[in-house]
């Protein structure tokens, strides 16, 4: 039977009270505002249960630098069978020195679906940190694909190694049907040279020879390198900072993604919708990257026309 969460006290029992286990189910019953900084739920462990936000909000999440906090977010790490769904987060303030950081979780090996982060900021100044608006690292593990599905972020993101508006690193995992949409005052920024920073994903890479997948996503954002840095040492893009392929014949999947400017990806593996000769094998994996949105006469994005370029065998 699920635990019904209807207060700040109930929420903070998750991961700290032995009766609220990491494999239990939880349902949020109302909006909850947090009054003080918290330690991520199941800190240094894994959440392998089900957390259903039930359409409600968690407001004013604050996570700060503290001994033993390596992966920062509402949850420290979502395990392979863990699910977080139907949750809105606002007023997020994850700010400190963490290995990974995101609003929902530092690391996701399971499923984060129908979650939106509508205001706040996520930041880590620790060297080699992976930071994202929703999740720091989305990862394949033990025959399970970490999955970000129907999620969105409108928060500023600051990091050092892999920085993404939605996900810092997509490590052999899946990002689908999701978007980043920032206003003009909110940015995604790297503080370090030799870093990967993207409006959607910082680093899109394989894990144990499993291709990373991004499909039907878009990003409207400003991506920056800190003024004191040599920008030429960073991979900076409006969608994917660095697309690290497995090999010539086994590319990562990039299908139907849009951005609001032409700065799409870094120099390696430039996106191209034309395939000939030896590249033909890649065609099924690559179905369209677009530098502009279909818009109506008033300049508004027409969502139902965000269609992939579809290749046919």
């Amino acid at each position: 039977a699920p635990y019904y969460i209807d207060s700040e006290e109930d929420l903070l029992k998750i991961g700290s009270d032995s009766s609220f286990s990491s494999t239990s189910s939880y349902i949020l019953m109302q909006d909850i505002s947090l009054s003080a900084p918290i330690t991520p739920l199941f800190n240094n462990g894994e959440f392998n249960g089900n957390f259903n936000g039930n359409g409600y909000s968690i407001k004013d999440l604050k996570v700060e630098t503290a001994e033993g906090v390596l992966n920062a977010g509402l949850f420290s790490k979502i395990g392979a069978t863990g699910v977080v769904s139907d949750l809105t987060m606002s007023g997020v303030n994850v700010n400190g020195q963490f290995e990974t950081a995101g609003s929902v979780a530092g690391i996701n090996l399971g499923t984060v679906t129908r979650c939106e982060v509508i205001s706040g900021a996520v930041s880590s100044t620790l060297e080699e940190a992976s930071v994202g608006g929703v999740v720091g690292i989305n990862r394949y593990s033990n025959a399970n694909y970490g999955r970000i599905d129907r999620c969105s972020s409108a928060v500023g993101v600051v990091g050092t190694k892999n920085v993404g508006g939605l996900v810092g690193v997509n490590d052999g995992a899946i990002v689908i049907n999701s978007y980043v949409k920032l206003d003009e005052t909110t940015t995604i920024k790297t503080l370090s040279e030799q870093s990967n920073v993207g409006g959607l994903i910082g680093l899109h890479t394989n894990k144990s020879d499993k291709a990373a997948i991004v499909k039907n996503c878009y990003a409207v954002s400003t991506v920056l390198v800190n003024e004191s840095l040599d920008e030429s040492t960073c991979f900076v893009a409006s969608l994917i900072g660095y697309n690290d392929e497995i090999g010539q014949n086994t590319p990562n999947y990039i299908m139907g993604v849009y951005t609001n400017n032409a700065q799409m990806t870094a120099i390696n593996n430039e996106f191209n919708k034309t395939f000939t000769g030896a590249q033909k094998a890649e065609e099924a994996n690559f179905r369209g990257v677009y530098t502009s949105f279909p818009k109506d006469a008033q300049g508004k994005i027409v969502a139902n026309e965000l269609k992939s370029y579809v290749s046919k065998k």
Side-chain angles (χ1 to χ4, degrees):
Y3 289 92
Y4 295 101
I5 306 300
D6 58 9
S7 68
E8 179 180 12
E9 181 183 8
D10 283 346
L11 182 67
L12 298 182
K13 286 180 180 178
I14 300 175
S16 61
D17 187 315
S18 60
S19 64
F20 284 47
S21 79
S22 63
T23 57
S24 295
S25 294
Y26 304 91
I27 299 179
L28 202 60
M29 299 305 294
Q30 65 178 8
D31 294 343
I32 292 177
S33 295
L34 298 173
S35 60
I38 72 165
T39 299
L41 306 182
F42 300 103
N43 187 45
N44 295 329
E46 287 187 1
F47 175 61
N48 281 293
N50 189 308
F51 186 92
N52 181 358
N54 201 22
Y56 291 110
S57 299
I58 293 178
K59 302 177 181 180
D60 302 325
L61 171 74
K62 189 173 185 179
V63 182
E64 301 174 331
T65 302
E67 185 175 356
V69 177
L70 303 178
N71 306 303
L74 177 63
F75 291 88
S76 175
K77 182 178 183 180
I78 300 169
T81 59
V83 178
V84 178
S85 64
D86 295 285
L87 177 66
T88 298
M89 300 182 69
S90 64
V92 171
N93 184 3
V94 177
N95 184 12
Q97 292 196 313
F98 315 110
E99 292 180 0
T100 67
S103 298
V104 176
I107 299 175
N108 175 54
L109 311 178
T111 299
V112 179
T113 182
R114 298 187 301 276
C115 293
E116 59 176 349
V117 188
I118 62 176
S119 62
V122 180
S123 174
S124 175
T125 58
L126 186 69
E127 188 176 354
E128 303 286 305
S130 295
V131 187
V134 174
V135 167
I137 297 179
N138 188 43
R139 174 171 285 161
Y140 172 91
S141 177
N142 298 326
N144 187 77
Y145 288 87
R147 184 181 182 93
I148 308 294
D149 186 0
R150 287 167 285 176
C151 293
S152 66
S153 176
V155 301
V157 182
V158 176
T160 55
K161 180 60 178 178
N162 302 302
V163 190
L166 197 78
V167 176
V169 180
N170 192 39
D171 192 7
I174 298 170
V175 177
I176 185 169
N177 304 326
S178 299
Y179 66 89
V180 173
K181 191 173 183 180
L182 306 185
D183 63 29
E184 295 179 354
T185 65
T186 307
T187 62
I188 300 159
K189 183 167 71 172
T190 180
L191 302 176
S192 299
E193 296 179 353
Q194 310 298 327
S195 58
N196 311 302
V197 52
L200 190 71
I201 298 168
L203 174 63
H204 190 57
T205 185
N206 65 84
K207 175 72 172 178
S208 303
D209 293 332
K210 302 299 180 182
I213 298 168
V214 58
K215 181 179 180 181
N216 299 342
C217 295
Y218 72 84
V220 177
S221 61
T222 300
V223 185
L224 300 173
V225 174
N226 200 44
E227 292 179 359
S228 63
L229 303 179
D230 179 359
E231 186 170 341
S232 68
T233 68
C234 302
F235 292 95
V236 184
S238 55
L239 279 170
I240 299 169
Y242 191 90
N243 177 41
D244 186 14
E245 303 278 27
I246 296 173
Q248 183 177 2
N249 297 320
T250 315
N252 292 321
Y253 289 69
I254 302 169
M255 297 178 282
V257 291
Y258 287 78
T259 181
N260 60 324
N261 63 60
Q263 185 187 31
M264 293 158 65
T265 191
I267 294 172
N268 74 312
N269 303 302
E270 288 285 355
F271 294 139
N272 190 329
K273 287 189 285 188
T274 303
F275 296 88
T276 60
Q279 294 178 313
K280 202 69 177 175
E282 299 183 7
E283 188 171 22
N285 293 28
F286 190 105
R287 304 189 185 193
V289 179
Y290 300 89
T291 58
S292 61
F293 297 96
K295 296 180 180 179
D296 63 18
Q298 288 72 45
K300 294 182 179 180
I301 294 171
V302 182
N304 62 1
E305 292 185 10
L306 293 176
K307 297 177 181 178
S308 303
Y309 165 79
V310 180
S311 61
K312 302 219 182 247
K313 291 188 176 182

